Amino acid sequence: MSDLRLIRHGQATPFEADTDRLSPLGETQARAVGAAFGAEGWVPTHVLHGPLVRQRRSAELAAGQAASWPEATQDARLAEFDGDGLIRRLAPLLAARDEAFAAQVAAFRASDPRERNRTFQALLETVADAWQAGTLTHPDVEGWAAFRARVLAALSNLLALPGGSRVAVFTSGGVIGLTLAHVLDAPDATALRLNWRVRNASVTRLTFGRGRVSLDSFNEEAHLLPGERSWR
């Protein structure tokens, strides 16, 4: 049997001009992943990451904690769904036709910085549900069906690796949520619900082989100190 570990990137910078980079905390979290794997004696035979800076950098920092990791491979199919596109392009479209959502947007803009995560999350979930349902689209934003197809294609390739493989995949919450929904034969809506719970630098473990894949653990963060744990 083979071991597949899905690692969410470390904390990024969602409310800054450049959202695709790790924060100082995110760098600490990524190093902690590599250190924990090393302490466990787990050395991957394959390391993959998506094309986003926060995904690639997380893989680099984790690998830097050990000298024996193989060179990482970038796979564009492991990129997160276009969260920036959902907010910048789809949210205004929805606000223009939905008064309740327009009120959500206003609440976010007026929110105290301490409440920003909560109000932003409510806004993002509303947009993402409409995006997933296909009722909210834009030609410059990847649709749910395309996102789903590319992630599952990448998963199919991973599950075809030889027996005894140990695979570390540095990706994002949406990819992890969709992968788990597929493995558990759950509805697509479950993918987004799982995505909202995936913590920064968390580890989700699966076992695969002989045509089967099973979930062993979800959202592990014991390798992080309490003060190092974050959600966004």
Side-chain angles (χ1 to χ4, degrees), residues 144 148 151-153 155-156 159 174-191 194 206 213 215:
W144 168 260
R148 185 181 191 279
V151 171
L152 295 186
L155 177 63
S156 179
L159 299 183
V175 175
I176 295 170
L178 175 54
T179 298
L180 294 191
H182 178 73
V183 167
L184 297 173
D185 198 24
D188 276 3
T190 302
L194 290 168
L206 301 101
V213 57
L215 174 64

Side-chain angles (χ1 to χ4, degrees), residues 190-212:
T190 302
L192 285 180
R193 296 191 189 106
L194 290 168
N195 164 55
W196 306 135
R197 302 312 310 159
V198 181
R199 313 252 320 167
N200 293 131
S202 65
V203 178
T204 292
R205 307 187 190 208
L206 301 101
T207 298
F208 68 95
R210 304 190 186 109
R212 299 183 61 183

Side-chain angles (χ1 to χ4, degrees), residues 64-131:
Q65 302 303 301
S68 52
W69 281 30
E71 184 175 354
T73 298
Q74 178 172 299
D75 188 333
R77 298 172 299 181
L78 298 171
E80 180 63 295
F81 61 79
D82 185 5
D84 284 347
L86 264 64
I87 295 302
R88 295 176 182 174
R89 297 188 182 277
L90 298 187
L93 295 177
L94 186 58
R97 72 190 197 202
D98 186 323
E99 291 184 4
F101 179 71
Q104 278 188 288
V105 173
F108 169 68
R109 290 174 175 167
S111 63
D112 183 283
R114 293 169 296 183
E115 293 293 310
R116 185 168 53 178
N117 266 329
R118 181 183 62 80
T119 54
F120 178 77
Q121 184 62 30
L123 183 155
L124 180 57
E125 289 187 20
T126 301
V127 176
D129 286 346
W131 167 73

Side-chain angles (χ1 to χ4, degrees), residues 128-152:
D129 286 346
W131 167 73
Q132 185 181 61
T135 60
L136 188 62
T137 63
H138 188 283
D140 293 335
V141 178
E142 179 186 38
W144 168 260
F147 170 68
R148 185 181 191 279
R150 67 167 165 84
V151 171
L152 295 186

